[in-house]
């Protein structure tokens, strides 16, 4: 992105964007290391790592449904609740699943895949995917 180009609506730019991507890399790293420490197997990790992306199928129903499903599957709140339940109930599988989920979210953020706007898959809180930022009209009240 051009350092002087205006961001897409709601997109973070410049240093804050770099910090958020670095934060994603750290989340991915720590979640992966914690998963290993919890005794998880790498075959299981690899098999489940991309599961949150099944939410992309909701884009078949349109960009609004796709963004809603994607964002639900890519926010830290859901795996946080799962990890809490796993810790409180001493359920190792729930904790390992949450760590894999966090690793996925972290990898996505590190690569620049942010939470989606209903205007289209490429419109994220970390900027427009696939190239330079484009200027969008203000998000309508229905966003």
């Amino acid at each position: 992105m051009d350092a002087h180009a205006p961001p897409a609506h709601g997109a973070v730019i410049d240093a804050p964007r770099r910090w958020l991507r670095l934060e994603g890399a750290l989340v991915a790293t720590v979640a992966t290391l914690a998963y290993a420490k919890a005794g998880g197997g790498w075959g299981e990790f690899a098999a489940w790592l991309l599961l949150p992306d099944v939410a992309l199928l909701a884009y078949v129903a349109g960009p609004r449904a796709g963004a809603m499903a994607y964002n639900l599957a890519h926010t830290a709140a859901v795996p946080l609740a799962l990890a809490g339940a796993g810790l409180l109930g001493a359920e190792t599988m729930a904790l390992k699943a949450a760590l894999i989920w966090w690793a996925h979210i972290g990898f996505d953020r590190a690569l620049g895949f942010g939470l989606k706007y209903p205007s289209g898959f490429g419109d994220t809180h970390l900027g427009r995917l696939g190239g330079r930022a484009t200027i969008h009209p203000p998000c309508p009240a229905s966003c």
Side-chain angles (χ1 to χ4, degrees):
M1 174 190 314
D2 180 354
H4 300 290
H9 63 77
V12 181
I13 61 169
D14 299 329
R17 182 175 190 269
R18 288 188 295 275
W19 280 110
L20 288 171
R21 290 184 71 177
L22 176 61
E23 179 183 64
L26 291 172
V27 166
T29 300
V30 170
T32 302
L33 292 172
Y35 176 82
K37 183 76 172 167
W42 295 114
E44 177 183 53
F45 186 89
W48 293 100
L49 184 63
L50 297 179
L51 184 63
D53 284 341
V54 169
L56 292 170
L57 295 174
Y59 273 95
V60 171
R64 181 178 216 62
M68 188 181 311
Y70 181 93
N71 291 344
L72 182 62
H74 288 82
T75 185
V78 182
L80 178 62
L82 182 61
L87 288 170
L88 291 174
E91 290 295 329
T92 306
M93 187 60 207
L95 180 58
K96 289 192 296 186
L99 291 169
I100 294 169
W101 201 340
W102 269 326
H104 175 94
I105 292 169
F107 286 130
D108 272 8
R109 294 294 190 287
L111 294 172
F113 291 97
L115 298 175
K116 309 300 183 205
Y117 287 103
S119 53
F121 177 80
D123 297 330
T124 82
H125 84 287
L126 294 178
R128 177 93 180 125
L129 295 177
R132 299 177 64 119
T134 56
I135 300 172
H136 296 281
C139 194
S142 61
C143 277

